[in-house]
């Protein structure tokens, strides 16, 4: 994970194209849309696709029936399709049960969701755990519907089947894992969360290349909530391997980055990404954990309390386009996707390189000059960063401070600290201790 | 202690009337003024009145002789009473020994206390532990006194007797106690401390009604310093029962509330009242402990170090009317007394309701929807406070966090947290753990 | 260490005169200049002078050969001495090996150091651990040198000899030590570090007078880096005695005082000097430890981690005159030297007086009045500092708080706290506990 691995030069365009390819698919928490999405991701990285049958008990939950939708529409009194699933999969409330009926406008409206404050946008609605059906439409359309009888059709199946998710493990030199998780249960919404899927996929590709890293990396492409619940239920004995984790969601919009800390608040992932963001000069925000948002809610539930934070650009529900048809392909930007990828990559690099060393000459300063580590003409010399890095590392490497601790205390860039530690290790002055 | 118990609707007028009723009595640290005061309080709550004889050793102190005053005056050379105890009991230095003499003006002035900076006010002075006598008068009066011989009379007794105090215990479901203490040794001073006596009396009345509370409540109506010293001396073995405590003094003036923390600095009482004040939108101050002020000095001495804070409006000695005749019935306000009572009441309610719970489904989030605890139509839903309260409680109830901890971390009102915890407990998701 | 010992009245002039007396000597990390300097200091305090032979292994270092310089010059093509050691010892790079040669201007310039940004100043350069020779001159001179052949002469010896330092121990009532260290290896530089040597010498004189103090005081006059390395190497078993320490350097310029904390960050020395500076009303800065600067680098290396901070005025390398000929006798000020001395003296006095007491009457407040410690007329009395000091000391003296803790918490001056503690001890209310 040297700078030469950096994906910085890679075009955000490539990331954007994966978003665009996945955009039209009708996804929900179960069903063929999920399988189709995993198929596309699987052409890039060697995914394991897992399925768990309906009715399986997973922690406090039960795997629901599988939902698939073939068609759905509403015809006005003249027989014209005024709402049509084929125009946008957002038009159907996710998990709508099959229905075929003729209803007066008033009854139709009880099943119709709109956004009065954004009259041209179609909302996104779901009804996973309460049987029902519904349509979503623009307020403008709803207002234009004349009185009369409407034919409605939801040609769906809600039946025993499976919950599906994808998993990709890049084995490292140790069994300690870094978890990267994203949800893939949303239909045609670009930022939430095709952006997260795309950045995770690219990270997986990059990490799958080259020699094994220090950590193993586990990527989860899972339906929100029930997916992480299911995965946690099946892996309760192994979660202790997860040393660091990141949930990626809403990472493609034009806003600046927002990192939400893990429940622990000061885990290494929290400190690593905070250091990277602060050092990068990017506008950004680091916010405290709250038990709301994406699957970090599950990873950070008190029984697991994993060191998993969450990276977004404009966070969850804080932009008007959130969960509407306006979260479309115009809403995500290639350069934002690439920027997010860079920060993730640098953060993972920091975690790979972060370790503790022991100063092997802790009594006084070792003589750097005779080891060629120091300018030999003394006197007036401005303190240079590299020299300060050497002195800080030697001073703090008492077995209680990691390189990240030292970077934070010295206010020097982690990369410089890590490189300099390697130099000092080669000079026989440091030994890795953790 | 549900909101329906709230005394908010009760008129501050009633509180004010008790201040007015107690105002004329000549109180000191001992004597019949104390007994008379306790008699009036005792008509409202079933006080136990205790007496300890002069000479009793109490900690580092000795119970002093009892002082009673029948009359006191100064006659000018023409025989006119220019200073008269019957006009105001502040005119006599408390604990003045008997005297009957004729003295020239110069000598009289050596016994005369005034406030040059407030020429119309009469100061309040005491001489508990040094024998002597004196009068207090306005500077204007002192300046008007012509030369000549003055007849002075203090018709007092200072003799073996008793130290008297009142105590009222409301037994709760546990022997753990909340202490509410106020001093009743000041003569005609309204804010200091008839205001405190009055608010304490009303709290005692309210707590004496209805079913037993979780805590027992002990109210002390005691002379300042020697009273708390005596009470502590006699109850050294029981003070461990005191889990929370509050000294009430100067709680009726027009200023905003000031809470002084206990010596511990972050005891539950400190956090509870801070939360109540911060949430209330009231202007207020929370100040650090200092070993000065009222009887919190004794309760917070290092050998006891009880979790006792002190509530005032304008604090001790920080208003010019303090310990002068200007601390009169115009200086206290019905609405201030009522406002103080409300904050006390809400704080005690918080302490009653504050406990720790254990999330019984700590692995992942429990499925709130199937328990009817969650809106069933998902998708766009603004995070509502109640839902956030549920999630915070579940996330933090790991045995290490009280409801107050959770209210502080979530920045949600304690009352909402407590109500929601009850809901979750009824739903079988939480069990009380402390 | 009572206020009457205060050196405040002593003239800074006397300090300045020692700076001036030491200024002309050609010092380096070894050699006769060091011995000569110790000889002058030794006329004031009874120094022990120590020598360790060349080649001795000291921690990670080796004692270098001893360097002595008799003469050095550069003659221009006309035979004129354009650079002359006798004009200023800064003209010769310290530790230059002997040389006698005729070289063209171009080659001379490869051995010539200047300061282009300050064309009239001569830089100070050393080459302790890399064999070579060189001259330092003003840029103006360098620019004026015509082409041609130059005769250069360095009449030095670099040969087996000794490393020399001075040490002065003032024995106290305990073997616990306060360390005061300064470097004496710089030639004609006044602030760096004749100022430090001078203040340390005066402190040693003052402490050597009168009755033994609580602590023993050890003064080190040592060559920078190799001197502290050598001293630490030889005293590894005894450094545990050092309870507080101070490195003095650059303490005579017109800037305000800067204290750099020890590596521990909150050692008693850090807190003591911070308290003294904050209370004094002086402009000052307190900065965090960093592993750069003077011999605190060695004392605070992780294997020793001694509680040693560093006091300067304008710190290390932060003034343009640093390590140039402009750090001369005009650059240091009598009043600055005296001001530094006062702060050191007050800080040492604080450390001497700082101890923990136990309140012997911890239950309630002791009755101060009957012990004559309190005004006997109560009532309106403004809280006076002395009374507050008594109450704070009694309240906090529970065995866990030192007088410095109490001064910090009460925001009262340490001197008042210490004096008042003595009063309370004499009254039988306190007992020293640490």
């Amino acid at each position: 994970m040297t700078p030469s691995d950096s994906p910085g030069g890679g075009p955000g365009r490539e990331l954007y194209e994966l978003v665009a390819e996945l955009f039209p698919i009708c996804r929900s928490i179960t069903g063929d849309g999920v399988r189709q999405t995993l198929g596309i991701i699987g052409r890039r990285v060697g995914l394991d696709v897992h399925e768990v049958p309906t009715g399986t008990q997973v922690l406090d939950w039960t795997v629901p029936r599988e939902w698939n939708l073939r068609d759905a529409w509403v015809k006005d009194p003249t027989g014209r399709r005024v709402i049509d699933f084929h125009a946008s999969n957002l038009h159907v409330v996710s998990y709508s049960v099959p229905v075929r009926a003729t209803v007066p406008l008033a009854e139709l409206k009880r099943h119709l969701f709109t956004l009065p404050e954004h009259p041209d946008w179609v909302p996104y609605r779901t009804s996973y755990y309460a049987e029902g059906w519904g349509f979503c439409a623009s307020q403008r359309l709803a207002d234009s519907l004349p009185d009369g009888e409407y034919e409605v059709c939801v040609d769906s199946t809600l039946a025993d089947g499976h919950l599906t998710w994808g998993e990709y493990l890049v084995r490292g030199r140790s069994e300690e894992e870094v978890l990267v998780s994203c949800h893939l249960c949303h239909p045609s919404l670009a930022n939430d969360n095709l952006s997260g899927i795309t950045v995770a996929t690219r990270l997986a590709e990059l990490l799958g290349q080259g020699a094994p890293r220090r950590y193993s990396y586990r990527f989860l492409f899972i339906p929100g909530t029930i997916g992480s619940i299911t995965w946690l239920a099946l892996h309760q004995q192994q979660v202790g391997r997860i040393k660091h984790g990141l949930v990626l969601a809403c990472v493609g919009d034009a806003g600046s980055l927002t990192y939400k800390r893990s429940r622990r608040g000061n885990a290494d992932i929290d400190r690593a990404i905070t250091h990277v963001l602060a050092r990068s000069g990017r506008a950004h925000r680091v916010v405290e954990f709250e038990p709301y948002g994406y699957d970090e809610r599950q990873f950070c539930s008190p029984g697991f309390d994993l060191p998993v934070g969450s990276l977004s650009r404009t966070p969850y529900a804080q932009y008007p386009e959130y969960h509407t048809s306006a979260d479309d392909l115009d809403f995500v930007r290639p350069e934002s996707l690439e920027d997010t990828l860079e920060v993730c990559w640098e953060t993972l690099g920091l975690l790979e390189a972060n370790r503790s060393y022991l100063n092997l000459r802790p009594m006084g300063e070792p003589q750097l000059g005779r080891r060629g580590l120091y300018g030999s003409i003394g006197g007036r010399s401005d303190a240079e960063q590299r020299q300060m890095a050497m002195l800080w590392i030697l001073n703090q490497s008492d077995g209680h401070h990691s390189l990240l601790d030292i970077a934070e205390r010295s206010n020097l860039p982690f990369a410089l600290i890590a490189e300099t530690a390697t130099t000092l290790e080669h000079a026989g002055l440091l030994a890795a201790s953790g």
Side-chain angles (χ1 to χ4, degrees), chain A residues 21-250:
Chain A
E21 182 178 1
L22 296 170
F23 189 74
I25 300 170
C26 178
R27 278 166 295 267
S28 183
I29 54 172
T30 60
D32 289 333
V34 173
R35 292 187 187 95
Q36 219 178 318
T37 301
L38 293 173
I40 292 170
I41 299 167
R43 290 207 298 270
R44 283 167 172 79
V45 293
L47 279 188
D48 292 318
V49 175
H50 299 269
E51 300 219 318
V52 164
T54 298
T56 307
Q57 292 299 309
V58 283
L59 302 176
D60 191 57
W61 301 60
T62 306
V63 172
R65 286 180 289 173
E66 181 176 328
W67 183 70
N68 283 291
L69 180 67
R70 278 164 300 279
D71 199 1
W73 44 260
V74 174
K75 289 185 184 167
D76 72 7
T78 70
R80 197 170 56 91
R81 286 198 176 198
V82 288
I83 299 176
D84 187 347
F85 164 67
H86 292 294
S88 164
N89 54 39
L90 296 181
H91 280 313
V92 189
V93 170
S94 194
Y95 262 67
S96 282
V97 295
V99 64
R100 184 80 194 236
T102 303
V103 297
L105 179 62
E107 187 180 338
L108 173 63
K109 286 205 167 172
R110 284 197 293 276
H111 292 270
L112 194 59
F113 299 92
T114 63
L115 291 169
E117 67 273 29
H118 293 291
D120 291 316
W121 296 357
V122 178
Y124 162 55
R125 288 285 183 279
T126 68
S127 184
Y128 301 140
Y129 300 102
E131 284 203 5
W133 60 269
F135 287 89
C136 298
S138 72
Q139 184 64 44
R140 209 172 296 282
L141 178 92
D143 291 344
S144 74
L145 296 178
D147 260 344
E149 295 292 306
Y150 285 78
E151 206 182 335
V152 299
C153 165
V154 176
D155 179 12
S156 66
T157 50
L158 183 58
D160 284 357
H162 291 85
L163 179 90
T164 310
W165 78 90
E167 200 163 340
Y168 179 58
L169 179 67
V170 185
R171 288 192 193 282
R173 298 193 303 276
S174 97
E175 291 208 325
E176 294 188 339
E177 292 184 7
V178 179
L179 179 76
V180 178
S181 179
C182 56
H183 65 280
L184 86 172
C185 49
H186 285 28
S188 293
L189 298 172
N191 197 39
D192 181 11
N193 188 30
L194 300 177
S195 67
I197 293 168
T198 293
V199 170
T201 300
R202 184 70 188 129
L203 282 174
E205 279 186 282
L206 288 166
L207 289 162
Q209 298 164 0
R213 319 277 167 175
R214 169 182 178 191
Y215 288 112
S216 296
Y217 287 82
R218 186 177 298 276
F219 289 84
L220 297 183
F221 300 89
I222 50 176
T225 305
I226 188 65
S228 50
I229 294 277
T230 299
W231 189 86
L232 285 165
L234 299 176
H235 298 83
Q236 293 184 54
Q237 306 311 317
Q238 291 119 284
V239 294
R241 290 180 187 165
I242 298 172
K243 298 304 171 193
H244 319 286
L246 206 48
V247 169
L248 296 176
C250 305

